[in-house]
Amino acid sequence: MTSPRRIIIDTDPGQDDAVAILLALASPEEIDVLGITAVAGNVPLPLTERNARIVCELAGRPDIRVFAGCDAPLKRKLVTAEHVHGKTGLDGPVLQMPEMPLQAVHGVDFIVETLRAEPPGTVTLCPLGPLTNIAAALIRAPEIAGRIREIVLMGGAYFEVGNITPAAEFNIYVDPEAADIVFKCGAPITVMPLDVTHQALVTKPRNEAFRALGTPVGVAVAEMTDFFERFDREKYGSAGAPLHDPCVTAYLLRPDLFAGRHVNVEIETEGRLTTGMTVADWWRVSGRAPNATFMGRLDADGFFELLTERLGRL
Ligand code: BDR
Ligand code: CA
């Protein structure tokens, strides 16, 4: 058996972030969560760091270290998404306030120190929110880029274009300067854009399968997806709400569920209408060197089978 993959989850929970974290914590044989760094995004930092601790306790893992990172994008004012995730970021279920402590170390310091301390090529970063913490770590210690095994992130879009503006996906839009730094850093990058996450739709039967687990985790996940589904159904008129961030942790467990292309991806930071756009060279017309594997297809049934089975272990 191979040893579990060592990861840092960088996150702004968010119901879908919560499910991504739960999936990782349900899979200790394959995934070793070295720490969770919170960033401002869906809701402000005091809520995202608290929500990360709520989720760890829900998973029965108060031993996981949670760090607070940046409370605002590198150069811009924070844009939040309470209209999707509710006032707390985790609206839906009734959740216990966490008792586990927040770590004293800043999240960016934790990322830098971990990458410096661990053998090169052994730590994977899993950003599920705006890329502020990761970019801040790369600005502070550019040499860590060469020590990262892989960055597997949720963000961006190509064919699906945007969800917060007509041209941009939320995580990239909130801090495009940070995204630009990350996409240029030279580490291997795998992207879960809206093109993939919009295939991960929580249909009614899939939601019922979570609830039918009959556990606190299963019921909480069903209630969380019930909550943001109301918004998404109105917006997309689709069969259910997209479960974006769990695509990142599912990829670590079952990369075969995903298919994409290794292409050049650049971030628009100056657009008049397109700030935060991920300009992915899907058709390879730019001649620019590939810097990311940009996913385009998901085996959605396989994804939900995996997720439900793993959540059932908690
Ligand atoms: C992304 O934005 C957030 O609202 C979600 O948590 C996800 O990370 C989707 O655009
Ligand atoms: Ca998120």
Side-chain angles (χ1 to χ4, degrees):
M1 211 185 86
T2 52
S3 52
R5 190 158 171 172
R6 318 186 75 206
I7 72 168
I8 296 173
I9 299 177
D10 186 71
T11 178
D12 62 337
Q15 292 91 347
D16 62 322
D17 301 72
V19 180
I21 295 167
L22 291 169
L23 178 58
L25 295 180
S27 309
E29 285 176 10
E30 295 104 328
I31 297 176
D32 179 6
V33 180
L34 300 175
I36 297 179
T37 51
V39 68
N42 285 323
V43 286
L45 183 68
L47 290 172
T48 60
E49 65 84 351
R50 187 195 74 181
N51 291 349
R53 290 182 291 135
I54 289 175
V55 175
C56 291
E57 290 194 1
L58 178 65
R61 293 297 304 278
D63 57 302
I64 298 286
R65 293 179 297 165
V66 174
F67 303 82
C70 299
D71 63 1
L74 296 181
K75 294 191 175 165
R76 295 173 191 255
K77 268 186 74 164
L78 178 65
V79 175
T80 53
E82 284 89 354
H83 60 293
V84 184
H85 300 276
K87 241 192 155 104
T88 67
L90 287 184
D91 278 21
V94 176
L95 295 161
Q96 296 287 328
M97 282 305 112
E99 287 175 8
M100 61 185 276
L102 180 68
Q103 299 295 311
V105 172
H106 192 280
V108 172
D109 292 333
F110 172 72
I111 294 169
V112 170
E113 283 159 20
T114 305
L115 283 162
R116 281 182 174 158
E118 298 298 329
T122 62
V123 176
T124 297
L125 302 181
C126 298
L128 310 176
L131 289 159
T132 318
N133 286 343
I134 311 297
L138 288 163
I139 293 168
R140 181 162 325 156
E143 80 283 359
I144 61 172
R147 302 178 70 88
I148 299 168
R149 172 169 167 184
E150 186 180 1
I151 300 172
V152 185
L153 68 90
M154 190 280 136
Y158 180 69
F159 292 100
E160 292 284 311
V161 198
N163 62 355
I164 184 76
T165 74
E169 180 279 329
F170 179 78
N171 289 342
I172 307 295
Y173 177 75
V174 171
D175 199 343
E177 285 75 21
D180 186 43
I181 289 169
V182 171
F183 276 84
K184 286 182 175 149
C185 81
I189 299 178
T190 299
V191 186
M192 298 294 159
L194 297 180
D195 307 80
V196 161
T197 69
H198 281 178
Q199 295 170 47
L201 301 178
V202 188
T203 58
K204 219 172 169 22
R206 288 169 178 163
N207 186 290
E208 285 313 317
F210 295 145
R211 203 181 311 275
L213 291 171
T215 58
V217 166
V219 173
V221 168
E223 291 178 353
M224 284 188 221
T225 52
D226 272 346
F227 180 84
F228 66 79
E229 176 153 323
R230 269 179 272 161
F231 163 81
D232 278 317
R233 198 182 285 275
E234 243 171 63
K235 182 173 175 184
Y236 301 109
S238 62
L243 208 41
H244 306 281
D245 294 336
C247 288
V248 168
T249 35
Y251 174 77
L252 302 179
L253 299 166
R254 288 279 310 277
D256 58 297
L257 295 174
F258 299 84
R261 291 186 179 189
H262 191 230
V263 295
N264 177 270
V265 181
E266 308 254 340
I267 308 299
E268 179 56 81
T269 57
E270 294 166 10
R272 190 169 59 87
L273 299 170
T274 55
T275 298
M277 188 172 194
T278 44
V279 182
D281 188 6
W282 186 260
W283 302 113
R284 300 192 176 105
V285 291
S286 71
R288 294 191 286 261
N291 59 343
T293 301
F294 203 83
M295 293 301 174
R297 279 208 326 270
L298 167 72
D299 169 356
D301 286 336
F303 169 80
F304 280 97
E305 270 163 36
L306 171 73
L307 183 56
T308 310
E309 186 271 318
R310 293 300 169 105
L311 294 178
R313 297 185 186 187
L314 290 173

